[in-house]
Amino acid sequence: MNTDTIFSSLQRISDAYSDKLQSLSDAQFRTTPPIGGWSYSEVYAHIFDASCLSLQAMEDCLNGKGKDKPTAFTVKLILFFGALPPGRFKIPKQLEGRVKVITKEEAQDLVSQFGKQLEADYKQIPRARDNVKSKHPRLGYLNAKQWLRFTEIHLKHHLKQLHRIEKSFAQ
């Protein structure tokens, strides 16, 4: 798992979210798509809130606040292949109440906050200990490098969701 490559990928993905955000009108940003589900606004609220929480979990690992627990084999496969299994997933209960409709300005602030936090945390990765892990609501225990990789996978997953939303508006 090359953290430099993952970091560069996260920066490109974050830029893609920013570019997409700039291309949307305020009304379109908040409108429930024709296919149902979350609006762009709710996707941005979820993905960047969850990504900042993932970076906080990574920081906990970096600061030795974790447990020496195994990472499940299936989770290692997800991290290796860089994709979540096919299908739709329900948001973990812990995050459910955190999804809300936000403004484009709030979304841009979340994207910026994520970028700053990512930059600061990434610089600390070389000192990460592989055996210090914190718990993910669904995947179990992840170390700092695994949290970084998961964040990349999760952001990519929701970027695909934005493309599905866009297609539904085009139809």
Side-chain angles (χ1 to χ4, degrees):
M1 193 176 329
N2 184 325
T3 56
D4 293 337
T5 303
I6 295 168
F7 177 70
S8 295
S9 174
L10 281 165
Q11 288 179 312
R12 283 190 306 277
I13 294 165
S14 188
D15 288 346
Y17 275 97
S18 286
D19 292 346
K20 181 66 182 167
L21 185 60
Q22 298 311 311
S23 74
L24 300 168
S25 71
D26 290 335
Q28 192 177 26
F29 185 68
R30 292 182 173 185
T31 302
T32 300
I35 57 173
W38 287 349
S39 64
Y40 286 113
S41 173
E42 292 162 307
V43 173
Y44 275 81
H46 164 68
I47 192 58
F48 285 99
D49 179 51
S51 293
C52 286
L53 289 173
S54 293
L55 293 179
Q56 180 59 57
M58 187 174 87
E59 283 177 26
D60 289 346
C61 294
L62 290 166
N63 294 324
K65 298 176 189 170
K67 298 182 178 184
D68 188 353
K69 297 271 191 172
T71 301
F73 180 72
T74 54
V75 174
K76 288 180 182 180
L77 287 175
I78 290 169
L79 297 172
F80 178 77
F81 287 110
L84 296 170
R88 293 193 182 254
F89 301 93
K90 288 198 104 174
I91 188 170
K93 291 280 185 207
Q94 304 93 307
L95 301 178
E96 207 170 52
R98 297 174 67 104
V99 176
K100 59 186 175 187
V101 175
I102 60 174
T103 65
K104 283 180 60 176
E105 292 77 23
E106 290 170 316
Q108 189 57 58
D109 287 347
L110 285 171
V111 173
S112 295
Q113 177 187 345
F114 169 76
K116 289 175 188 168
Q117 191 175 347
L118 174 65
E119 182 86 30
D121 292 344
Y122 170 70
K123 291 175 182 174
Q124 297 180 51
I125 288 282
R127 68 179 180 86
R129 294 189 339 238
D130 288 343
N131 66 324
V132 178
K133 300 176 184 180
S134 58
K135 193 168 186 346
H136 180 278
R138 287 253 170 82
L139 301 180
Y141 286 88
L142 304 174
N143 65 31
K145 292 174 187 172
Q146 291 169 329
W147 274 107
L148 187 70
R149 177 68 165 150
F150 167 76
T151 303
E152 176 193 29
I153 293 166
H154 192 221
L155 279 163
K156 281 182 182 178
H157 171 76
H158 283 287
L159 199 54
K160 290 176 189 173
Q161 183 180 12
L162 293 183
H163 293 305
R164 286 193 304 272
I165 292 170
E166 182 177 24
K167 282 183 185 177
S168 79
F169 279 116
Q171 293 175 349

